[in-house]
Amino acid sequence: MSLRLLPYAIADGATNMAADETLVRIASTERIASLRFYGWTTATVSLGYFQPASVRLADARLAALPFVRRPSGGATLVHHHELTYCLALPAGAPWQTGESWMPRMHRVITAALAELGLAGQVAPVMANPIKHGDILCFQQHTSGDLLSAGQKIVGSAQRKYHQALMQHGSLLLAQSEHTPSLPGLQELCGITLTPEQVAAAIAKELQRATAWTLQTAEWTEAERATIGELAAEKYGSTAWNERR
């Protein structure tokens, strides 16, 4: 089976969320499975689908940043010194069978980080959920999240679109000045990794774990057009971002 691997790129919040939605639409309508890794042009707040827009105003550091509402649930994220991924899979076999993709992808990430020198330093949350704060996602440890030295470094969320699955998540590479309570791998493990290094390691491990063939590909013109439309009309709009 073939999984399309799109090139690493950075974009603003509206474009990134539009790209993720485009992938799950393609997974549903054309049964194309895709994986992409990306970054953010500037530090950006993303709100979970069900969060009120006003939640970011509780912290002056967050209130000063641009924000976007995700199509997935969960708490507030500040995307800065991180690697973000999006996996979009068609419904049914061989893409969605048996175990949930949340723990599967997190095992892939753990193994990839081990290959980069972090063997034994990253593990999933096994205990009951813990909340160290009410706003930031990475202050809330839930089953399956990945921790290093007791701190959350990977969290993911999902959305279904006509049974196709979109799962996206963030890996903290280093601490952001906008979220000083959240250390990344650089602070916790003393290792500096680039987004491209980590993306390549995850892609390699995913291919090993699934036996799927990862084929590097570019966005089609039709996909680029859809991303532009969604970014302008949905994810860049006040109606979407302040809907709650």
Side-chain angles (χ1 to χ4, degrees):
M1 298 304 298
S2 177
L3 179 78
R4 182 175 63 156
L5 178 63
L6 293 157
Y8 174 82
I10 61 172
D12 59 51
T15 300
N16 275 332
M17 293 301 95
D20 286 0
E21 180 168 334
T22 297
L23 288 187
V24 76
R25 289 188 179 193
I26 295 298
S28 173
T29 59
E30 300 184 29
R31 291 194 61 79
I32 295 174
S34 303
L35 172 66
R36 83 179 189 104
F37 297 98
Y38 58 98
W40 305 70
T41 50
T42 188
T44 302
V45 169
S46 75
L47 302 173
Y49 178 80
F50 298 102
Q51 285 190 296
S54 60
V55 71
R56 74 190 208 288
L57 302 179
D59 186 325
R61 287 181 292 252
L62 305 188
L65 297 176
F67 76 100
V68 66
R69 183 177 297 280
R70 300 190 305 275
S72 58
T76 304
L77 292 165
V78 176
H79 305 280
H80 197 192
H81 303 310
E82 68 169 49
L83 174 70
T84 317
Y85 78 89
C86 178
L87 179 68
L89 300 174
W95 310 109
Q96 297 185 60
T97 56
E99 186 182 16
S100 165
W101 266 100
M102 196 76 77
R104 288 185 72 182
M105 193 63 182
H106 286 188
R107 281 201 302 273
V108 166
I109 293 171
T110 300
L113 291 175
E115 288 296 315
L116 292 171
L118 295 173
Q121 298 187 62
V122 176
V125 173
M126 302 300 290
N128 293 327
I130 299 173
K131 291 183 69 172
H132 297 288
D134 294 323
I135 298 174
L136 294 173
C137 175
F138 275 70
Q139 290 180 327
Q140 301 175 20
H141 302 177
T142 59
S143 179
D145 291 340
L146 297 183
L147 305 183
S148 181
Q151 298 288 326
K152 182 172 174 177
I153 57 140
V154 175
S156 300
Q158 297 180 337
R159 177 200 165 171
K160 285 289 186 75
Y161 180 87
H162 299 297
Q163 301 308 307
L165 171 71
M166 184 271 285
Q167 180 172 308
H168 54 188
S170 299
L171 192 161
L172 295 187
L173 300 177
Q175 185 181 65
S176 168
E177 62 266 31
H178 305 291
T179 52
S181 64
L182 301 178
L185 288 174
Q186 182 172 293
E187 292 76 27
L188 295 167
C189 303
I191 186 170
T192 300
L193 298 170
T194 68
E196 293 86 352
Q197 277 180 295
V198 181
I202 293 173
K204 180 180 178 182
E205 178 58 26
L206 180 63
Q207 181 166 275
R208 188 205 64 77
T210 60
W212 297 344
T213 299
L214 270 63
Q215 295 186 336
T216 302
E218 296 289 337
W219 295 98
T220 67
E221 288 303 315
E223 289 169 341
R224 292 183 188 277
T226 300
I227 292 169
E229 290 171 6
L230 286 171
E233 299 172 10
K234 182 175 181 179
Y235 293 103
S237 72
T238 299
W240 170 263
N241 289 317
E242 297 187 7
R243 64 184 299 167
R244 297 180 187 278

